[in-house]
Amino acid sequence: MFSASQSSKAQFLDKARQAREERRELKERERAAVQIQALVRRFLCRCHLQKEIRREVEDFFGATESGASKRSALSVFRIARKLLFVFNHKEDKERFEKLCRCILNSMDVENEPKVWYVSLALSKDLTLLWIKQIKDILWFCCEFLKQLKPDILQDSRLVNLHLTMLVTFTDTSTWKILRGKGETLRPAMNHICANIMGHLNQKGFYSVLQILLTNGLARSRPSLSKGSLTAIFSLALRPVVAAQFSDNLLRSFLIHIMSVPAIMTHLATLTPERLAVIESHDLFRKFIIFLSREAQCRDVCVCLEGSHTLCLLGNLVYLGSLNDKVLEDETAHFVGVLIHMLSYCQKYVSQKKSNLTHWHPVLGWFSQTVDYGLNESMPLLTKQLQHLWGVHMIRILFSDVLSKKLLENQEIAQLPTQPVSPQNSLPMKNLFKRAFQKSASVRNILKPVGGKRVDSAEVQKVCSICVLYQTTLTTLTQIRLQILTGLTYLDDLLPKLWAFICELGPQGGLKLFLECLNNDTEESKRLLAMLMLFCDCSRHLITILDDIEVYEEQISFKLEELVTISSFLNSFVFKMIWDGIVENARGEMLELFHSVHGWLMVLYERDCRRRFAPEDHWLRKDLKPSVLFQELDKDKKRAQLLLQYIPHVIPHKNRVLLFRNMVTKEKEKLGLVETSSASPHVTHITIRRSRMLEDGYEQLRQLSQNAMKGVIRVKFVNDLGVDEAGIDQDGVFKEFLEEIIKKVFDPALNLFKTTSGDERLYPSPTSYIHENYLQLFEFVGKMLGKAVYEGIVVDVPFASFFLSQLLGHHHSVFYSSVDELPSLDSEFYKNLTSIKRYDGDISDLGLTLSYDEDVMGQLVCHELVPGGKTIPVTNENKISYIHLMAHFRMHTQIKSQTAALISGFRSIIKPEWIRMFSAPELQRLISGDNAEIDLEDLKKHTVYYGGFHGSHRVIIWLWDILANDFSPEERAMFLKFVTSCSRPPLLGFAYLKPPFSIRCVEVSDDQDTGDTLGSVLRGFFTIRKKEPGGRLPTSSTCFNLLKLPNYSKKSILREKLRYAISMNTGFELS
């Protein structure tokens, strides 16, 4: 019972709740319906009203266009209010244009004040409403300007319309109402204009102008007309002038207007009158002074980011090139501003591509976002920036350096000297005379004279300018070569900068700069930046000058100056390495090292090619080779760096000794040296004399790298197929190696050619006619490497350019193919350089970017660039043509052959082993020393057989004939006769393997069975079986053995020996 009543109660409550919810939902629906109906009615009412207003506006402008009557300003004001009340950008675009035209037309009517739209500003009731209306109208003009594209014809007309509106109502100069009696109202009207201008500025007026300018100018050809550009710039300038050049307005102007790419160039081209306005307001000076405050400059850079900061920089540089007076007055501020802006950009310049970098045509890889819309204007921006390293600006900025005169010897001699006492006059005069008699044209800058205070204003100014250009080089990475070329254009800048460097500090440049290395002060950094700039520019200059310009014409630097500079650089780099500075160098210090080292090595390589420095100029007398070798054994970093960067400071013979030690250590490591406990693995090969090259190639090319470096024993088979007698103890292999090298380097085989003139070898461009020619070249490289590895000197005279490639110099950024071209073809080099000096129009010669060559009777055209045979050589591209031609002849034509040979050579000789040699030194390593034969050294290391000894009369005669009767050429022929090479080993005859030997022989070679006890005794006691006067001396070059009959007279020995050595002529390796 109880449970039933409880259940019915729950049901009753549930029904009551449901009824309540239904009533609430019904009320909600009713309320929602009323609200929706209200919204719809309001929307429909608004639409109806808008239609009515728009129809009324249309009717108004329709009547106006029909010319029925002139509309009063009040009617225009009222219709404008209505239009603005319903204004929609998309729907009312055309109506707004008509309104603007109507307002502008009203301003052009003569003598009808009631028609002038601006007259409403004088009405007490309407002034505030009118000001509000014109502000709204002008801002809508700005909104439209942001969306318009000036390169579209229709849009360009609208741009003019909206700009005219802005120009008209932000300045009172065109208001007819202020003429005559209305002049008294001008101050009040000006105040209204200022109020309007202020409102627009607050809304973002400068951003609008920036967008419009960028759309119209950031392209290869500007799409803004002269009138539009004039209007925009006038509008941009009005707030700045009105605010009397306040910092706030200058900041806005710099950020939004001056950062538009190349705007100053466009002004100069389209409307130069605007530049005159800039000059009349002295704006350039105001910009520089504003930006010279570090906080303000940083603020502007941060707002602009990298791409637009660079555009601002370009415009400032261009303005600077037009304002010499300001530039001279404000040099310090100008330089400081540019350094700060470039340094800001430099922070984001990256060395490589990554996910965080973007490509910029001037800055390279850049870690800020890049505005690719500016790319079209980059050529114009680059032209603006070029003024910074143009002759005009360099003359102004470096005026202190360039104003100094470089005194020549003759002028110095005429200078009045300080009065001295009579007893001292003569010695002083002689000292002075001797100091300048060394060369007729030695300038007074060859010694680091010193004396100029580092903290003086002049030095600080020059340092700042050098920092500017150094920062420019490291920031504008993609136009670095342009900058360097501009800085080296003036022939006297670099010599005078060197003179300036020499005068710094109390004791001259070197000591001061060495001290700067250990000082981490701002002053030291600025001084080192000056040195770095000098090195970068000088290196660039010497790299692009040919030998005639360096040695004969001596452009920029005299040869004596190059000697002094190279001495300075050599000492500086040595100290940087030896004092441990390079080991820990990072950032700017490492850049300094590479800069100075790069300039040093360019000079050193130029000197190696054609000497200008005295003997032993590059050596460091204070560096003991023994100390260096000890440090190398201990793996000291500084010793390794010295060997890596400036091996030339070590005497050549010590480096050769070091090279031999490296080879020996590797042999020991690979187990290739005979020891008491183990013997090295020996590779045996059998070679047919009639097919020596083919058999050698087939058997040796299959060997592993270590086997090639190991012991190789050769067994020769004669033409009858019988093994030749003899045991190979290096001698037979030496003969095999010499014969192989003789065959492969014979020009008749056409693997190699000889240069015209000095007949030096290089790979033949037509060697591809051989089957497997690249494998052959690799084999040749291995054979050559094996000869160098074993210390066997071979008379193979290589062309200098090919040796440079063997050393890997051609991969250097400072390598110039043109400089090496004389070593290939001196006549061709002269013809090419004559093109460089040709004064007329080079296109008259009918040349193209191609090279025609006679290849086995057929004329083949090689294009130097794709489509080169259709591209004429002109005055603009003639330098490129010269370099392309040189590169083609020395690299492209023989690229694959050279690469194969180098690959083979490096499989035996590690590149780092020979990196310590120059090209001429590598030739000496391959072919022996080109110095005169040291007979005393040869005598000391000669071994005698067959009864001969050092005191034997035939031996005494022999040494006397070689010393007193033979010419140096005949002595070289004698050495070649015995050893197959006319040059002595680099380290002396102690290193000749096998040792130089002389044996007494009684019979001819075909009857010779070797030494017997009887033959030795007869030789020792000069007992002859029969007179050997009819026989000639012979030799076994594989054993470096001279077989000498026991002649009875000195004259017979001289005659027979001379005849024997002269008969052994022909190709170098015969």
Side-chain angles (χ1 to χ4, degrees), residues 294-321:
E294 193 173 325
Q296 293 176 174
C297 189
R298 191 187 306 113
D299 169 47
V300 169
C301 291
V302 169
C303 287
L304 289 174
E305 294 194 331
S307 298
H308 291 276
T309 300
L310 201 61
C311 295
L312 171 58
L313 186 79
N315 285 317
L316 289 175
V317 167
Y318 186 76
L319 273 183
S321 69

Side-chain angles (χ1 to χ4, degrees), residues 912-927:
E912 56 268 27
W913 289 353
I914 56 169
R915 210 169 278 146
M916 54 184 166
F917 301 109
S918 64
E921 288 170 343
L922 179 60
Q923 181 66 67
R924 288 163 67 188
L925 192 68
I926 294 167
S927 302

Side-chain angles (χ1 to χ4, degrees), residues 316-516:
L316 289 175
V317 167
Y318 186 76
L319 273 183
S321 69
L322 302 176
N323 291 270
D324 293 0
K325 179 72 171 65
V326 179
L327 200 59
E328 288 165 10
D329 295 344
E330 304 293 343
T331 298
H333 285 148
F334 177 72
V335 169
V337 167
L338 296 196
I339 290 172
H340 194 96
M341 294 172 76
L342 285 165
S343 300
Y344 174 80
C345 293
Q346 192 185 34
K347 286 191 297 185
Y348 301 98
V349 172
S350 181
Q351 297 301 314
K352 57 186 177 182
K353 181 181 180 180
S354 74
N355 293 334
L356 301 173
T357 58
H358 308 270
W359 178 253
H360 190 282
V362 175
L363 301 165
W365 291 113
F366 199 64
S367 58
Q368 279 188 337
T369 50
V370 171
D371 186 347
Y372 292 108
L374 303 182
N375 279 8
E376 271 193 71
S377 59
M378 282 302 131
L380 276 176
L381 171 61
T382 306
K383 278 188 179 179
Q384 283 189 320
L385 292 170
Q386 283 170 355
H387 288 283
L388 183 57
W389 49 88
V391 172
H392 183 69
M393 199 168 285
I394 285 176
R395 286 196 188 281
I396 293 172
L397 295 181
F398 279 110
S399 57
D400 292 345
V401 173
L402 291 168
S403 61
K404 296 186 180 301
K405 192 175 182 185
L406 293 174
L407 299 178
E408 304 287 343
N409 177 36
Q410 294 89 335
E411 296 173 40
I412 294 167
Q414 295 167 11
L415 289 177
T417 57
Q418 295 293 323
V420 292
S421 55
Q423 62 267 34
N424 291 335
S425 62
L426 189 61
M428 282 297 292
K429 184 177 178 183
N430 290 339
L431 279 171
F432 192 79
K433 190 176 179 183
R434 278 204 303 274
F436 294 101
Q437 272 184 341
K438 290 183 181 177
S439 167
S441 61
V442 177
R443 295 174 180 162
N444 187 26
I445 63 172
L446 299 187
K447 298 289 180 188
V449 290
K452 199 181 285 290
R453 286 180 63 87
V454 176
D455 57 359
S456 67
E458 180 193 2
V459 173
Q460 291 300 311
K461 179 184 172 185
V462 174
C463 281
S464 293
I465 293 162
C466 290
V467 169
L468 166 62
Y469 283 110
Q470 193 55 43
T471 312
T472 307
L473 285 169
T474 51
T475 306
L476 312 181
T477 57
Q478 299 310 298
I479 51 173
R480 181 182 170 87
L481 290 180
Q482 279 187 38
I483 301 165
L484 288 169
T485 304
L487 288 168
T488 54
Y489 187 81
L490 285 176
D491 288 343
D492 57 342
L493 175 62
L494 291 175
K496 287 179 177 178
L497 188 57
W498 170 244
F500 189 83
I501 287 170
C502 288
E503 292 173 1
L504 295 176
Q507 293 172 303
L510 180 59
K511 186 170 176 60
L512 172 71
F513 285 103
L514 289 174
E515 287 171 359
C516 287

Side-chain angles (χ1 to χ4, degrees), residues 57-328:
V57 170
E58 289 287 351
D59 293 343
F60 179 86
F61 290 130
T64 304
E65 285 170 6
S66 66
S69 62
K70 291 175 183 174
R71 298 291 185 173
S72 68
L74 187 59
S75 62
V76 173
F77 172 76
R78 284 174 179 157
I79 207 70
R81 283 192 77 183
K82 289 180 179 181
L83 179 60
L84 295 176
F85 177 69
V86 298
F87 188 73
N88 179 282
H89 274 84
K90 286 184 178 177
E91 289 187 39
D92 299 312
K93 185 180 174 184
E94 289 185 17
R95 295 180 188 92
F96 185 77
E97 289 165 23
K98 290 175 181 177
L99 174 65
C100 291
R101 287 197 174 89
C102 183
I103 290 171
L104 289 173
N105 289 338
S106 78
M107 295 294 288
D108 288 336
V109 176
E110 292 289 341
N111 303 319
E112 291 193 40
K114 287 186 179 181
V115 175
W116 296 331
Y117 177 69
V118 79
S119 65
L120 298 175
L122 303 178
S123 167
K124 284 182 181 181
D125 299 330
L126 298 177
T127 303
L128 294 176
L129 292 173
W130 180 84
I131 292 173
K132 169 76 172 62
Q133 188 180 90
I134 195 63
K135 283 179 180 177
D136 290 341
I137 290 172
L138 294 182
W139 182 246
F140 284 137
C141 287
C142 292
E143 291 282 350
F144 281 116
L145 284 172
K146 279 200 286 188
Q147 299 164 9
L148 295 172
K149 303 293 181 190
D151 51 329
I152 300 170
L153 181 62
Q154 184 60 35
D155 279 14
S156 69
R157 289 174 183 160
L158 294 177
V159 165
N160 288 336
L161 173 66
H162 296 310
L163 284 175
T164 309
M165 280 293 292
L166 287 163
V167 169
T168 303
F169 292 102
T170 54
D171 185 74
T172 60
S173 57
T174 58
W175 293 4
K176 295 184 171 66
I177 199 169
L178 299 180
R179 291 177 186 172
K181 293 178 182 180
E183 190 64 41
T184 54
L185 301 172
R186 193 174 292 276
M189 294 296 103
N190 283 339
H191 187 69
I192 290 173
C193 284
N195 184 287
I196 294 168
M197 203 79 240
H199 171 78
L200 294 176
N201 279 336
Q202 278 185 326
K203 297 274 279 183
F205 180 57
Y206 274 117
S207 297
V208 172
L209 296 183
Q210 182 182 19
I211 292 167
L212 183 59
L213 284 168
T214 306
N215 287 340
L217 300 180
R219 51 187 64 246
S220 50
R221 292 184 64 186
S223 55
L224 285 175
S225 64
K226 176 179 178 177
S228 298
L229 185 57
T230 305
I232 296 168
F233 200 76
S234 300
L235 285 168
L237 212 51
R238 278 177 186 175
V240 181
V241 176
Q244 296 183 327
F245 309 100
S246 69
D247 284 355
N248 197 26
L249 268 300
L250 278 174
R251 176 184 179 276
S252 295
F253 192 87
L254 285 165
I255 290 172
H256 296 291
I257 307 303
M258 289 298 289
S259 67
V260 173
I263 186 171
M264 291 298 121
T265 303
H266 290 301
L267 285 176
T269 309
L270 295 173
T271 170
E273 305 83 21
R274 295 300 98 194
L275 286 180
V277 172
I278 290 174
E279 195 171 340
S280 67
H281 290 301
D282 205 11
L283 264 183
F284 176 58
R285 190 192 303 271
K286 290 179 172 67
F287 290 153
I288 294 303
I289 291 171
F290 173 81
L291 291 168
S292 65
R293 292 168 222 144
E294 193 173 325
Q296 293 176 174
C297 189
R298 191 187 306 113
D299 169 47
V300 169
C301 291
V302 169
C303 287
L304 289 174
E305 294 194 331
S307 298
H308 291 276
T309 300
L310 201 61
C311 295
L312 171 58
L313 186 79
N315 285 317
L316 289 175
V317 167
Y318 186 76
L319 273 183
S321 69
L322 302 176
N323 291 270
D324 293 0
K325 179 72 171 65
V326 179
L327 200 59
E328 288 165 10

